[in-house]
Amino acid sequence: MKRGLLIVLSGPSGVGKGTVCSVLRRKVPDLVYSVSATTRKPRKGEIDGVNYFFKSREQFQEMIDSDALLEYAEYVGNYYGTPRDFVEKTLESGKDIILEIEVQGALKVKEKFPEGVFIFLMPPSLDELKQRIEGRGTESKDAIDHRMSVAIEEIGLLRHYDYAVTNDDIEAACHRIQCIVVAEHCRRERVMGDFAAMQHASTKKA
Amino acid sequence: MKRGLLIVLSGPSGVGKGTVCSVLRRKVPDLVYSVSATTRKPRKGEIDGVNYFFKSREQFQEMIDSDALLEYAEYVGNYYGTPRDFVEKTLESGKDIILEIEVQGALKVKEKFPEGVFIFLMPPSLDELKQRIEGRGTESKDAIDHRMSVAIEEIGLLRHYDYAVTNDDIEAACHRIQCIVVAEHCRRERVMGDFAAMQHASTKKA
């Protein structure tokens, strides 16, 4: 069984990773969606086990201690992490899995999975990003300013990624990500093995 | 003006490069199609200036001598080459251009344009390839055997390419190539410059 692709979708806070991921999820049912664990409080409409596994700090610490997380990071006062087992099992079953994670977490995953496909979702502009963060209406001005300065630092980490996808339009961004997945399946280094047998057989025939 | 992408579509003789290219041409009118020069005789239905620029050996030699070809190669007794001017002007205008060329020519283009996107079209199997070559009905058994042994050598050159696309179905192969073009436009090293200004402006604001 050929291993699936690990797709990591990251980008600055507020860029719309969650929305893009949920649209992708509907459009590409074959793509498995990794559910993160977090100590952040659920936002309105978020469901435990679907959007996140919501954990207390004590529960999260236990997962860290038992090495049950592929990566974890503290971000704006909360922990976020990726349960390791689910990712490994999905890849081994030959399915692609997408992780939607914060920039810090993505770079830790890259250390463990350099063969992953790292996609950075970019805002069309910083003004647009600020409007989106303000638009949530869930945070104070100080929290918004803090998020913006964190986001600006995060954009500087684009250099560690394979792809940059501008989130100017959700459908367009999803289409680009779908194309990236198709293209990555065609990358020579990923398929070389499939063709080695053909080349070998042909050399014997010739 | 941002330069366009140079897409090079190659693969063994008989794999269906021409058919795939003509379908792509209809489906993606924005993609400019490079017309090769050749000394090969026109096949039935082929039009000068559309499928190829058909040249005498003397005319072709003149193009070589005046460095008017990006690459040229002799293949099964005929010259094939890519007029340089048209490719350069298209890229400078910001449009993507696709070259459909033989394996030898593609590797020469790679020396001059390492930033190009090199796609190798693969047959689903060698038996399938042989059937396709025989199916043309234009060649003798010796010519077919020669083509097969050349094709087998050519498949060994896959290692120099960025992508391998199996031509199991023309529509599917075209879709994969379209996805590769979209994905390549999102590659971080190609778009890094676009975002440098945003990062620079943001650093000043912060």
Side-chain angles (χ1 to χ4, degrees):
Chain A
M1 175 60 80
K2 196 172 179 184
R3 266 170 83 89
L5 291 182
L6 173 67
I7 318 290
V8 178
L9 183 67
S10 192
S13 170
V15 76
K17 297 186 288 294
T19 311
V20 165
C21 248
S22 63
V23 173
L24 263 183
R25 204 176 184 177
R26 280 204 306 276
K27 291 172 71 127
V28 196
D30 287 350
L31 195 59
V32 177
Y33 180 95
S34 164
V35 178
S36 297
T38 185
T39 59
R40 154 163 99 55
K41 296 275 178 292
R43 293 196 189 118
K44 202 182 162 184
E46 285 183 337
I47 300 162
D48 186 50
V50 175
N51 303 93
Y52 286 96
F53 293 111
F54 295 102
K55 301 286 178 190
S56 67
R57 290 188 80 87
E58 292 71 28
Q59 288 171 319
F60 202 95
Q61 190 59 51
E62 262 178 49
M63 294 178 83
I64 294 172
D65 295 344
S66 62
D67 200 29
L69 295 169
L70 196 55
E71 56 77 36
Y72 67 96
E74 197 165 6
Y75 184 77
V76 197
N78 288 303
Y79 276 125
Y80 294 80
T82 304
R84 177 196 295 268
D85 252 25
F86 186 67
V87 171
E88 278 287 3
K89 281 177 184 159
T90 306
L91 293 175
E92 278 163 28
S93 79
K95 285 188 180 164
D96 299 338
I97 185 166
I98 188 161
L99 308 193
E100 176 225 325
I101 50 177
E102 308 300 328
V103 172
Q104 296 175 46
L107 296 184
K108 285 183 187 155
V109 173
K110 198 181 176 191
E111 287 169 19
K112 288 175 187 161
F113 288 94
E115 76 279 21
V117 179
F118 291 80
I119 303 174
F120 198 88
L121 201 63
M122 284 293 285
S125 70
L126 288 178
D127 288 342
E128 178 75 28
L129 181 65
K130 193 165 185 187
Q131 280 171 30
R132 289 182 196 182
I133 290 174
E134 287 170 346
R136 276 182 185 170
T138 54
E139 291 167 70
S140 68
K141 188 183 175 303
D142 276 3
I144 288 168
D145 286 350
H146 179 66
R147 271 189 183 277
M148 277 303 290
S149 74
V150 170
I152 286 162
E153 266 179 61
E154 288 174 334
I155 290 172
L157 298 174
L158 168 61
R159 67 184 183 281
H160 299 290
Y161 286 74
D162 301 309
Y163 296 94
V165 168
T166 301
N167 189 18
D168 47 354
D169 172 271
I170 291 166
E171 291 291 324
C174 285
H175 177 248
R176 289 175 200 130
I177 293 167
Q178 284 180 275
C179 282
I180 289 168
V181 175
V182 171
E184 282 287 330
H185 275 286
C186 297
R187 283 193 75 81
R188 185 249 308 147
E189 58 270 32
R190 298 198 196 276
V191 297
M192 202 70 189
D194 302 355
F195 296 120
M198 193 190 286
Q199 172 67 5
H200 184 67
S202 67
T203 311
K204 283 203 280 189
K205 271 191 196 172
Chain B
M1 175 62 77
K2 198 172 179 185
R3 265 170 85 88
L5 292 181
L6 173 66
I7 318 290
V8 177
L9 182 68
S10 192
S13 168
V15 75
K17 298 186 289 292
T19 311
V20 165
C21 248
S22 63
V23 173
L24 262 183
R25 203 176 184 176
R26 280 205 306 275
K27 290 171 70 127
V28 196
D30 287 349
L31 194 59
V32 177
Y33 181 94
S34 164
V35 179
S36 298
T38 184
T39 58
R40 156 163 97 57
K41 295 276 178 293
R43 293 196 188 117
K44 202 182 163 186
E46 285 184 338
I47 300 161
D48 186 52
V50 174
N51 304 94
Y52 286 95
F53 293 111
F54 294 101
K55 301 286 179 190
S56 67
R57 289 187 80 87
E58 292 69 31
Q59 288 171 320
F60 203 95
Q61 190 59 52
E62 262 176 49
M63 294 178 83
I64 295 171
D65 294 343
S66 62
D67 200 29
L69 295 170
L70 196 55
E71 56 77 37
Y72 68 95
E74 198 165 7
Y75 183 79
V76 198
N78 288 302
Y79 277 125
Y80 293 80
T82 305
R84 176 195 294 267
D85 252 26
F86 186 67
V87 172
E88 278 288 4
K89 280 178 185 158
T90 306
L91 294 175
E92 276 163 29
S93 78
K95 287 188 179 163
D96 298 338
I97 186 167
I98 188 161
L99 308 193
E100 177 225 325
I101 49 177
E102 307 301 327
V103 172
Q104 298 175 44
L107 296 184
K108 285 185 187 155
V109 174
K110 199 180 175 190
E111 288 169 19
K112 288 176 187 160
F113 287 95
E115 77 279 21
V117 179
F118 291 80
I119 303 174
F120 198 87
L121 201 63
M122 284 292 285
S125 70
L126 288 179
D127 288 342
E128 177 76 28
L129 181 66
K130 193 166 183 187
Q131 280 172 31
R132 289 182 195 180
I133 290 174
E134 288 171 345
R136 276 183 186 167
T138 54
E139 291 169 71
S140 67
K141 189 183 173 304
D142 277 2
I144 289 168
D145 286 350
H146 180 67
R147 272 189 183 278
M148 276 304 289
S149 75
V150 170
I152 286 162
E153 266 180 61
E154 287 173 335
I155 289 172
L157 298 174
L158 169 61
R159 67 183 184 282
H160 299 290
Y161 286 74
D162 301 309
Y163 297 94
V165 168
T166 300
N167 189 17
D168 47 355
D169 172 272
I170 290 167
E171 291 292 324
C174 285
H175 176 248
R176 290 175 200 129
I177 293 167
Q178 284 180 277
C179 282
I180 289 168
V181 174
V182 171
E184 282 287 330
H185 276 286
C186 295
R187 284 194 75 83
R188 184 249 307 148
E189 58 270 32
R190 297 196 197 277
V191 297
M192 202 70 189
D194 302 354
F195 295 120
M198 193 190 287
Q199 172 67 3
H200 183 68
S202 67
T203 312
K204 283 204 281 190
K205 271 191 196 173

